[in-house]
Each structure stands twice: as C-alpha cells, then as structure tokens.
C-alpha cells in the first residue's frame, strides 16, 4: 500500500489545485503561489516516505523506486518553474490560468503514474494523462492561429502514437497473457511467442519514441513547440521527454534479453542527432531551433542507452535531468523576451538582450553553452558521460557521430549568444516590464546547470541508484 | 459453429463499413458507417467472449463518442461545397501500400500463433469487473482523473468566452 | 478463430491508418484514429478468450475510456481551430512549418 | 606535499568575479576598482608564498591540493585537484602578475564605462579560468580551463560587439576553436583509452607520465598530434590562426591579457606540461617545431603590410607564438617557457601602449593616420620604444635573450633549416616593429586637426612602466646565456627535455648574427619610414642640382620597393591569404558550412506543415521497425 502514497498525494494536490485555482486567477503572484504550494506539498509528502534504493513492485503493478522519484521531482520542479514563468507571461497573453494550473498539475500526476507504472497499459494511461493536458495547454490561447494549430497537430499525431502504443500493448497481452511487465519478462524467458512479444515491445517503444521526439517520429516537435505558449513549451520539452525516456528505460530492461533491438536504438539515435542538428542550423525562430535541438538531444540520450550497459542507463539519466533543466531554462529565457504570443522569439529579437539585461545574459550564456556541451557547464558533463559510456560499450563510432553533430550544434547555440551580445540595433522583444519571477526561475535553473557541471558527482550518485533500481526490477 | 460464421460475417461487415466510412466525402455519412463498424465489433465481442464488453463497446462508442462527433460536425454546419477535393492519388497510393505492408507484417509476425492458455467460454461481467478492480485498479482510478482532465481541457478549448 | 480475428484487427488498423493519412477532413481523420484504437481492442478481446482470463477485457474498457477522453479534447481543439482559421481541412493548416 | 591553502589562488579571483558580478553594480565604480585588481593581487601574493615553499622542496617538489572528487564513473576517477610545481607555479606568477598590472591599467582605460563592473567581473572570471587551466592536475581539468578562458574571451570580446561584422569575428573564433577543441577532446580520449589498455584509465599528468612509456609509439603520436591540433586552435598557429587577427575587436586591455599574456599561450603551456609525451614522439615534436616556424615566418610577413595598429600586434603575437612552439618543438621546453614569459611582458606592454595611443587618438587605429606623437605622448613613446626594442630582439632587452635561446637551441639540436627561417622572421620582426614605431611617433602628424592627442593618466602609465622595466631586465636576469635561471628552475619538470649543448663560441656567434639581423631590420625601417619621407624635400630645396640624384635615390627605393618588397610581400601574402586562408580555412570551412546549411534546408523542406506528411514519416518508421523484426525473428 505504501506505493500508493505518492499517487494519492499527487491526486490530492491536483484536486486541491483544481478547486482553488480559479480563486486566484486575478493576481499574478497568486498563480505562482498555487504552483509553488502544490510543488512544496508534494515534495514534502515525498520526504515523509523513505527514499528507496532498489525497486519495490507492489501488487498494484506500481513500481516505487528512485527512477520514479527522480521523474516526479523533475516534473514538480519544472511545473513550479512553469508557474513562475506563466505568472509573467499571462500579463501580455491573458488566458484561463486557473484551468491551466489544474492542467499542469494533472500532467505532473500523469508523469508520476507513467514513471511508476509496472504495467504497459498503466504506462499508456499515465503518459496519456501527462499528454492530454499538454495538448490543451498548447492551444490554450485558442483564438490565435498558431497555438490552435499546434494543439490540433499535436492531438492528431499524439493520437496516432497512442494507437500504435495500444496496439503494441495488445500484442504484448496476446503473447504474455497479461500486460504487466513481470509477465512479459517471464514470457520472454519461456520463449514460445518471443517474436510477437518483441513486435509488441517495438510498437510500444515507437510510441514512446514519438513522445521523446526521436527522429523520424519527431516531426510534430517543431510545429508544436513553436505554436505552444512558451512557458508551456518549457514544461512539455522537459517533462514529456523525461517521462517518455523513463518509459524507454523501463523497457530497456527487456533489451538484456533481446540484444538485437540495439540496432533499432542505434538507428534512431543517429537519425535524431543528424536530423535535429542540421535542421536546427537554418531556423530563424529560436523556439523552432530549440525544438530541433530537442530532437538532437533525444538522440544524444539514446547513445549511451544503445550500449545495453548499466553505465549507459546512468549516463542517459544524468543527461535527461540536465536536459530538462537546460531546456526549461532556455524556453523560460525566450519567454522573458517574448511580448505577445510569437513576438520576440526570433534570433533578431534577441539582439542586445545580454547587454541590456546582464543577469539574463549570464543565464543565457550558461544555458546555451550547456546545450552546446561546453565546459564548465553541466551540459558538457552530460555529453562526456554519454559518449564515454558509448566508448566503453564498444560503440566508439556512435560517440564520434555524437561529437561531430554536437560540433554542428555548437554553431546555432553560439548564434543565440552572439545575438544577445550584439549592440546597435534595437530588439523588438518586449522587455519593458520587469519579469521578476521569470528571471528568478531562469537564474535558479542556470545555477543548477552550472553546479552540476562543477560537481557532477552529487547528481551522478542519485541517478546511479535510480539506474540500478530500474534494471533490478526485471532481472 | 453457427456463432463462428456469425462472427465472420460481422467481421466482414465491419471491414466494409470501415472502408466506406473513410471514403465518404460527407463526414456525417462517415460517422454513420463508423457507427455500423462499432456495432459489428460490439456484436463480435458479444458472441465471441463477453456480452458485457460488447454492450459497453456499443453504448460508449456508438452511443457517446459518435454522438459527440456528429454534434461537432453539426455545430460547424459544413455544407457540401466546403468538402472540397480529396488528396492526390500519389498520396493515396503510398498510404495503401503502407497499409498493406502493415497488414502483411502483422500477419507474418502472428502467423500460426495461438495463446497457450485455457480457452474460456463466456466471461461474465462480474469477472471483468473483478479484473478491472484487481489487475487494473490503478489504471481504473487514473482513468477517472484522465476523464476529468479531458472535461476541463475540452471546456477550456471550446467555451466561447473565457480570457481571464 | 483467433488468427482470423488478428487478421481482422490488422485490417482495421490499416484501414484506420489509410484514413488518417489520406483524408483532408479533420473529422474523418479523428474517426480513423478511433478505428485504430478499436483494432487494438479486437486483439485484446481475442487474446482474452484464448488465455481464459478477463484481464484483456478490462483492458478494452480502459482503452475505450482513453479513446473517449482523447475524442473529447480533439473535438474541442478542432472547434477552437475552426473558429480561428475557418477550415477543417487538414492540409490548409500551414501556419507552422519549416 | 599537500596543502589545502593552495586553493586560495583560485578562490581570490572567483570571489572577485562573484562580488563584481552580483554586487558590482550597486557597489559602484570605486569599490569595483579596488576589488577587481586586489583579488588578482592576493592571488599573486599567494603564488609568491607557495613559490617560497616550493624552494624548500627540491627540484622535483610540488604542492598538491585535492579539492573534491570531480568525476567518478566506473573505473575512471578524476579529482578536482590542483598542483603547484615549478612549471605551473611559474605560469601562475606570470598570469597573475601581468594580469594584475592589466587590471590596474583597466581602471583608467574603462573609466566611466556603463559596463564597468561587468567588465571587471569577466576579467576576474577569465583569470580564474586561466588559473584552473594552469594548475589543473589532469588533462580534463586543463580542458575545463581551456574552454573557460574561451568562454570568457567571447564575453570580453563581445563586450564591444557593435556590428554584425564583429559578431561574425566572434563566430569565426568560435568555430575555429571548436575544431581545435575537437582535436583536444580526441587527444584526451586517446590517452584515456590507451592508459585503460595498459593499466587503468587516467588523465592525471603524474600518472600519465608513468603510462606513456608503456604505450605503443603510434598511440602517443596520435595523442600528441591531436592535442597539438587543440593547441593550434587556442594558440593561433597555422592553419587555425585566422581567428586571432579578427578577434581584435575587444577592448585593448583585454587583448593585452588574452591575446598576449595568457590565453593564447595555453597551447605552449600544454605542450610543455605534456613534455614527457612529446619527447616520446619525435615526429610530433618535429610537427610542432615545423608548424611553429612556418607560423612565425608567415605571420611576420603579414605584419609587414598591416595598417591597423592592433592588427600589426596581432600578427606579431601569432609570429612570436610560433617561436615558442619552435622552442618546445626542438625540446627546449624551458626556452619556450622563457620566451612565453618575456613575451607576456613586452607584448602586454605593446598592447597597453597601443591602447594608450588609441585612447589618446580618440579611437583611431590606422597607423597611416598617426605620426609625430613622440612629443604629444612622451611616456607612451618611451615605453613603446622599450618594448619595441624587446620585440625586435635588440640586446640587452628581454626579447633578444629568449628568442635567441630558442634559435640557438634549434641550431644546436640540428634543426638548421628551422633556424634559418627563424632568423629571416626575426629580421622581419625588427622591421615591422620599427615601421610601427616610426609611423606612429615620428615625422609630421597625419591625423585630422579635430584629433587632439593627449597623454594617458598615471593609472595607465604606471603599470606600463613596471612592464617596461620587466621587459628591459627580464631577459638577462632570467636567461643569461649559459647561466639561465629559468632553465635551472624548471629542470625537475623537464627531465625529458632534450639535452642541448653547443659550444660557447657558436652561441656567441649566433647571438651576434641575430643582433645584426635585428639592427638591419631597424635600419631598413628607418630608411624607408623616417629618412625618405622627410629628407627628400629638404634636400631638394637646398641643392637643386642634387635633386636628380635624390630623385634617383628615391627612385631606387621605389624599384627596391616594387621589385623586392612588394613582390615578396605579394607572394607571401598570396601564400598566406589565398592558400592557407582561402583554400584551407575558408574553403574547408565554407564547404562544410555550405553543405551543413544545404542539408538543413533540405530537411526543412520536409517539414511542410502538413500533419499527414508527418504521419507518413511516423508510419514509415513503424513499418521499418516491424520489417526489421520480421526479418530478424519471424522468417
């Protein structure tokens, strides 16, 4: 029953937020406070339950382990950050922020369920609960063409991915007689219906690859990231990707039995790194650029996973946490410069931002250097571990592809910084009103990104436990 | 024996109605044929293993979801000239090729496979309910959150005035 | 019988996919998505009988609920988009590209 | 010896950075003016203290401070630890010493700037990163500092970004350095992998020293060459030198710090630090020396024709760095470090002097529009003259001793061709140095009347004076031939260095030759830029009969100029600009860039905005995955 504590806590806070949030929609600080209250409450409940090493499977097909907790903490933290940014954002872009708060928290609940799922159907339900509110948040500025279009595209393609995932879980059920992960592993051992099970797993992984924006399942990413209101883009880029990869890491335990699936992973990694980086080169809109970079980063995260080693999982998780911080921070920074929806998000619009706002400039330097993988930021450490794990696992050429494509990527990240420090022409972004909350949030994330670069061990110790637990579940 | 042939017949009707549904120009006709498809599937479920699930299939899909579709189509009040030409033949050709590929691959993968369990006769509503509340209890509970979220989301998107 | 039902499901899935990829009317595209989800339900039902257990049938109910939730949000989003751009034709939504 | 106090060297500049960045705006210019330089000064003082400690530890002594475990993954454990030995200690003193003077100078130079506190914050951060690079006990920490100084240099150059042109210069610097960094990373990876094969994976210098002799020769060669690629990027050597002349956009004190005294010398320091590996790979040594001398020569030819005062200094820096690589490349590591040190003195001074000139000329940088500043800016002129003499290699100024040391070692170790090219470059160095001085300070003014040159304030002059004294005495104090202090000082570190002995008479002869060459360079410059521009008219007026002669003389000069100088310059310019710059750099980079952008545009076309096209891509992916499974299992 202890495994239920977290989801119940999440659900309770979700409901409280739903009830309370419309009361506070009028004032800016209240919105941020609701988020922070929910985040603090959930984290406090988590603190009450003992942190777990290893993995505990309850009868309810829930897994309570460090991976689930990390996913939850990241989701809650990013949600809190989103709350800060939204509070500033909604001044220029009024929208139903009470409902939006509820939706963000519902998505966090879904993220937790997905991260704790020990059952394929439950994983689908969790991911669906994480995604459905994000579809709505994408289109929450519904009388503007781009958000509405982005939401519709996201829903259609997301529905397609859900269909594929459900079909995959149906095949798994047909082969194993149950959708629980334990049953699936047992069926793999007995081996009678192995290839059907593998086909089911592969279809399932395809759906997860869609959510994680891995090429060629990524094509919704740039359109949706551009269309969505920027604070919610920050949320989805961090949380949805984290959840999808948490699912992939759960599935990863199966790869120990099916090493040939490695080739599919390698193919996805290479296509994502190449496609993401090269397509990002030619973008004018920073949000689109970051969307393609998100595809590329999904590829980098897959690189260590392709080795099939525990070290690979550790490196991937490390990267994943840092990517969530960097990406959310970068979108927060864009939101800082954005006025009305879609105004102030091109490279040109960033001109002189760093000169005019030194603190934001410093954050930008940290975040974009981190995305580019330049030391001493955490982004470098993430790439270091990822590529090192690949080399250790014998995939040195994959690491080389990663290094080369990240050199290509360095170009467009630096472009942001160059524009931020270019003087003379006036930026068109609205930085007139002080966005204190946004600055605070972005600064906090930047400091984390920097701190994990200087002292990666503190995070590494945590993700090591998570990786061990996640793999232990099915062995 | 008779039951098997009924199921086969229903299956054929289901496929045909699905084909008709995706080829009609007017979405209302599509909805009607999709309803027929759902009815057939409901029949198959009923005769094959579980009348309960068949009933749910018909009530929820044909009764609720399809009505929602029809309602939405009616709200937009599309006229025939709005329907416009369809996709280019090349696109359709590749889509059909891909679809045949999907069918062929799934059939190849599952060929000759039968799950090794004890074949059941009819599974009662009570058994299904127990499975729902034992094996899938968390999913069942989360579904309630999912549905409430969907309601909130749908209202946020579709309501006429709400810019607070 | 099991094999035939799997074939039925594969065909329904494929028909849904074709509808999803070729129809310009967003309503029909959404209906095609429902078809694909139904195809998975057929597999669940068929396998449930063979395994002699009700778990697959419970799964069907959950999948139906997912489909309902998705359909509700999708139709709402479609209405919102229609109000802004005035068309339900998928290939005319090109504000986001490149 | 372990000493946890060692980290103070790093902490002072870091604290300075934090203070200036977060409180500097509120604290105001006065406080920042104290905090910025003081943090570096304390770091310098700590360095001096540890230097005295080091003296008691013998020649192999070192002081180590393990701050925390930085990376621990599997077998690899990399500590964040710093080591203060004879080599890194020396560098610490150079970096903080020269850095401190430049900080003081900046107080005057940046006075009244809106971003005053930000400038000092970046400057402090830069020194911190440089110290990490120097003190780091392993290659990865060195790489951290390596990237850190790069980052700060973009920030500092970016401080002055006003136009897209300059932004593009920043991009060029970035891209070129990324190529270098790729080499550096691959070099580290090679050593990590190699050490894992023979014992356990490590990048600690002290452990690598034991590992390298056990590695196959090609591994060491590959690693050292890859690391050297990194060095060519950071230290602006052929073919990756192109970024440095363009990166002169930043404030002049920044150039003095980054492009003369510290960052660009990182490559030389790295080779010196890894001397045990380079000594084990003779071919890599030859590559280093060859690239160094080629750079020294060609960059000097570029210096002959540049008209922007800072561009002249930039090419001169590239050229002098080439000399340093010649030094470390022929095994004279101490010689390389010696030249690094004296160069830090006089080149920093040259940049500061140039800054003073630009400051006084209200931002004018074209030397054709200067002239006659000797009387207007007497102090600047004096220090400029001293540093010019030092750069030109005229005894007894510092540059003479260090450059000669390198050339002598090259000659004595049998690299005669390198020596010859080096001598030729030395001639050109003397020539362009005095050309610069004559054009700026002598003759009649050529600037507009609206410009009123004025002397700089004492806060700028005093640091320059100190550096001038160092430039004057640094040479014979540190490196008097056959009694080289610096060589004796670093003996423990460079035990792998090649023992080079030459006859004392030979050395004297070579020194004499160098002096003649330097003086010749001065004489030619004097004739072309002082004599010809003033004498002809005077003489023509007084002796009309002699006019023809004079005219002829002028004419001779013209012929000389056209036939030799211009042709020669044209050729070398051609080689440099068209082959190296255009073909290798621009050609390669542009092709790569064009291909990348082209690929990107093609991919962009796929993103049509049509949902169903996206659906097709997804379905294709699903199909391929299923097909793979069928192929693999179901057939």
């Amino acid at each position: 029953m202890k495994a239920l504590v977290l989801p119940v806590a999440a659900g309770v806070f979700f409901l409280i937020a739903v009830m309370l949030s419309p009361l506070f929609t009028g004032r800016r600080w209240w919105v941020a406070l609701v988020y922070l209250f929910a985040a603090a409450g959930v984290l406090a409940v988590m603190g009450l339950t003992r942190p777990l090493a290893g993995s505990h499977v309850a009868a309810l097909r829930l897994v309570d382990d460090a991976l689930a907790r990390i996913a939850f903490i990241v989701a809650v933290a990013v949600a809190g950050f989103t709350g800060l940014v939204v509070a500033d954002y909604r001044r220029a872009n009024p929208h139903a922020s009470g409902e939006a708060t509820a939706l963000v928290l519902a998505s966090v609940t879904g993220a937790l369920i997905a991260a704790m799922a020990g059952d394929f159907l439950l994983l689908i339900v969790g991911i669906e609960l994480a995604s459905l509110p994000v579809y709505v948040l994408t289109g929450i500025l519904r009388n503007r063409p781009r958000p509405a279009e982005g939401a519709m595209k996201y829903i259609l393609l997301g529905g397609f991915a859900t269909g594929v995932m459900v079909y995959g879980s149906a095949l798994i059920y047909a082969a194993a007689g149950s959708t629980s992960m334990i049953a699936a592993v047992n069926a793999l051992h007995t081996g009678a219906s192995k290839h059907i099970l593998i086909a089911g797993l592969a279809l399932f992984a395809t759906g997860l690859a869609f959510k994680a924006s891995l090429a060629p399942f990524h094509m919704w990413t740039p359109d949706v990231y551009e269309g969505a209101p920027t604070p919610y883009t920050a949320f989805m880029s961090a949380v949805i990707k984290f959840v999808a990869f948490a699912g992939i890491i759960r599935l990863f335990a199966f790869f120990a039995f099916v090493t040939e699936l490695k080739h599919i992973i390698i193919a996805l990694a290479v296509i994502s790194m190449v496609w993401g980086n090269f397509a990002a080169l030619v973008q004018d809109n920073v949000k689109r650029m970051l969307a393609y970079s998100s595809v590329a980063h999904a590829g980098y995260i897959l690189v260590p996973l392709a080795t099939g080693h525990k070290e690979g999982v550790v490196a991937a998780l490390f990267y994943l946490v840092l990517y969530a911080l960097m990406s959310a921070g970068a979108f927060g920074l864009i939101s800082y410069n954005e006025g009305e929806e879609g105004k102030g998000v091109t490279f040109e619009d960033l001109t002189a931002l760093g000169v005019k706002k030194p603190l934001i400039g410093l954050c930008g330097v940290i975040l974009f250097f981190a995305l580019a993988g330049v030391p001493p930021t955490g982004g470098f450490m993430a790439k270091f571990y990822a590529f090192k794990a690949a080399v250790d696992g014998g995939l040195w050429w994959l690491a080389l592809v990663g290094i080369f494509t990240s050199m290509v990527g360095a170009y467009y990240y630096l472009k942001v910084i160059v524009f931020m420090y270019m003087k003379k022409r006036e930026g068109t972004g609205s930085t007139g009103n002080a966005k204190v909350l946004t600055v605070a949030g972005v600064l906090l994330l930047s400091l984390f990104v920097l701190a994990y670069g200087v002292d990666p061990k503190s995070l590494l110790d945590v993700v090591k436990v998570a990786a061990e637990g996640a793999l232990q579940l099915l062995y | 024996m008779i039951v098997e042939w009924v199921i086969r017949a229903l299956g054929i009707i289901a496929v045909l109605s699905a084909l008709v549904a995706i080829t009609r120009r007017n979405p209302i006709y599509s909805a009607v044929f999709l309803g027929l498809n759902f009815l057939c599937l409901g029949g198959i479920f009923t005769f094959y293993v579980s009348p309960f699930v068949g009933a749910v299939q018909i009530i929820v899909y044909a009764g609720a979801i399809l009505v929602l579709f029809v309602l939405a189509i009616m709200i937009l009040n599309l006229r025939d000239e709005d329907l416009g030409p369809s996709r280019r033949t090349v696109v359709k050709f590749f889509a059909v090729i891909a679809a045949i590929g999907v069918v062929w691959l799934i059939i190849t993968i599952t060929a000759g496979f039968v799950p090794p369990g004890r074949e059941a006769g009819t599974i009662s509503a009570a058994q299904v309910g127990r499975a729902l509340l034992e094996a899938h209890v968390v999913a069942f509970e989360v579904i309630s959150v999912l549905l409430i979220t969907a309601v909130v989301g749908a209202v946020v998107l579709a309501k006429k005035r709400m810019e607070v | 019988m099991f094999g035939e039902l799997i074939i039925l499901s594969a065909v329904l899935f494929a028909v849904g996919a074709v509808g999803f990829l070729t129809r310009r009317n967003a309503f029909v595209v959404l209906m095609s998505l429902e078809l694909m989800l139904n195809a998975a339900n057929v597999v669940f039902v068929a396998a449930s009988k063979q395994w002699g257990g009700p778990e697959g049938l419970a799964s069907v109910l959950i999948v139906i609920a997912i489909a309902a939730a998705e359909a509700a949000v999708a139709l709402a989003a479609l209405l919102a988009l229609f109000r802004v751009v005035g068309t339900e034709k998928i290939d005319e939504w090109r504000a986001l590209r490149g | 010896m372990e000493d946890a106090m060692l980290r103070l060297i790093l902490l002072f500049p870091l604290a300075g950075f934090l203070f200036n960045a977060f409180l500097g705006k509120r604290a105001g210019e006065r406080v920042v003016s104290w905090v910025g330089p003081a943090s570096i000064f304390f770091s310098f003082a700590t360095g001096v203290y540890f230097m005295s400690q080091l003296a008691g530890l013998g020649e192999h002594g070192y002081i180590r401070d393990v701050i925390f475990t930085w990376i621990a993954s599997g077998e690899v454990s990399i500590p964040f630890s710093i080591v203060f030995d004879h080599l890194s200690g020396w560098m610490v003193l150079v970096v903080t010493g020269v850095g401190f003077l430049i900080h003081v100078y900046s107080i005057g130079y940046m006075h009244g700037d809106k971003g005053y506190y930000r400038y000092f914050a970046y400057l402090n951060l830069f020194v911190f990163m440089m110290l990490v690079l120097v003190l780091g006990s392993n290659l990865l920490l060195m790489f951290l500092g390596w990237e850190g100084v790069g980052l700060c240099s973009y920030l500092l150059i970016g401080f002055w970004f006003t136009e897209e042109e300059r932004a593009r210069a920043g991009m060029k610097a970035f891209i070129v350095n990324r190529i270098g960094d790729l080499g550096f990373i691959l070099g580290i990876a090679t050593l990590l992998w190699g050490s894992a094969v023979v014992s356990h994976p490590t990048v600690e210098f002290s452990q690598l020293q034991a590992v390298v002799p056990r590695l196959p020769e090609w591994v060491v060669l590959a690693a050292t060459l890859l690391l050297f690629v990194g060095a060519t990027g950071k230290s602006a050597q052929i073919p990756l030198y192109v970024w440095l002349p363009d990166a002169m956009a930043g404030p002049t004190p920044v150039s003095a710090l980054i492009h003369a005294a510290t960052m660009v010398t990182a490559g030389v320091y790295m080779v010196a630090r890894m001397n045990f590996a380079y000594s084990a790979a003779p071919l890599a040594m030859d590559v280093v020396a060859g690239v160094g001398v080629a750079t020294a020569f060609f960059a000097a030819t570029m210096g002959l024709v540049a008209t922007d005062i800072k561009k002249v200094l930039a090419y001169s820096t590239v050229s002098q760095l080439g000399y340093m690589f010649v030094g470390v490349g022929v095994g004279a590591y101490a010689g390389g470090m010696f030249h690094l040190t004296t160069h830090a003195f006089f080149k920093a001074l040259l940049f500061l002097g140039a800054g003073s000139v630009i400051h006084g000329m209200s931002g004018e940088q074209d030397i054709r529009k200067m002239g006659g500043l000797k009387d207007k800016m007497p102090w600047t002129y004096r220090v400029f003259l001293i540093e010019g003499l030092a750069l030109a290699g005229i005894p007894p100024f510092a540059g003479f001793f260090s450059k000669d040391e390198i050339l002598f070692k090259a000659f004595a170790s049998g690299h005669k061709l390198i020596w010859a090219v080096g001598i030729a470059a030395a001639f050109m160095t003397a020539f362009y140095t005095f050309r610069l001085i004559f054009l700026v300070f002598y003759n009649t003014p050529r600037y507009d009347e609206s410009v009123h040159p004025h002397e700089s304030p004492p806060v700028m002059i005093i640091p320059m004076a100190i550096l001038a004294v160092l430039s004057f005495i640094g040479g014979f104090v540190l490196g008097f031939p056959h009694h080289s202090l610096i060589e004796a000082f670093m003996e423990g570190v460079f035990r792998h260095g090649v023992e080079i002995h030459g006859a004392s008479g030979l050395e004297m002869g070579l020194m004499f030759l160098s002096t003649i060459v330097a003086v010749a360079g001065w004489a030619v410059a004097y004739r072309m830029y002082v004599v010809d521009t003033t004498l002809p008219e005077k003489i023509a007026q007084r002796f009309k009969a002699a006019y023809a002669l004079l005219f002829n003389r002028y004419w001779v000069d013209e012929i000389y100029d056209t036939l030799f100088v211009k042709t020669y310059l044209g050729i070398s310019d051609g080689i440099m600009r068209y082959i190296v710059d255009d073909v290798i750099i621009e050609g390669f980079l542009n092709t790569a860039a064009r291909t990348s952008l082209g690929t990107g545009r093609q991919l962009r076309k796929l993103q049509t905005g049509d949902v169903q096209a996206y659906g097709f891509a997804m379905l294709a992916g699903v199909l391929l995955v299923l097909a793979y499974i069928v192929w693999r299992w179901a057939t």
Side-chain angles (χ1 to χ4, degrees), chain A residues 95 139 142-143 193 195-196, chain B residues 109 113 156-157 159-160 164:
Chain A
H95 58 271
R142 72 250 164 85
N143 43 22
S193 49
H195 54 276
I196 299 181
Chain B
I109 288 170
F113 168 74
V156 167
L157 287 179
K159 206 177 157 190
K160 270 241 163 79
V164 186

Side-chain angles (χ1 to χ4, degrees), chain C residues 20-21 23 93-94 96 98, chain D residues 604 607-609 612 616 619:
Chain C
F20 184 86
L21 294 178
R23 292 305 309 263
W93 304 339
R94 297 283 184 93
L96 300 164
Chain D
R604 192 175 182 167
Q607 194 81 14
T608 52
Q612 285 163 328
F616 256 109
L619 189 67

Side-chain angles (χ1 to χ4, degrees), chain B residues 1-73:
Chain B
M1 207 53 181
I2 280 260
V3 172
E4 286 199 358
W5 280 106
V6 170
I7 290 173
R8 280 185 192 121
L10 285 173
I12 289 165
I13 299 172
V15 170
L16 290 178
S17 60
L19 281 172
V20 174
I22 65 155
T23 47
R24 288 311 87 192
R25 291 184 65 202
N26 192 326
I28 292 285
Y29 293 152
S30 294
V32 170
F33 280 97
L34 193 67
L36 181 58
N37 173 278
F38 291 155
L39 281 174
C40 293
L41 291 184
I44 291 173
F45 295 174
T46 304
F47 291 121
Y48 190 58
V49 60
S50 167
F52 172 64
V53 173
V56 172
Q57 165 86 10
I58 291 167
I59 292 168
V60 177
Y61 259 122
I65 299 180
L66 260 188
V67 170
L68 199 63
F69 270 97
V70 173
L71 194 70
I73 296 168

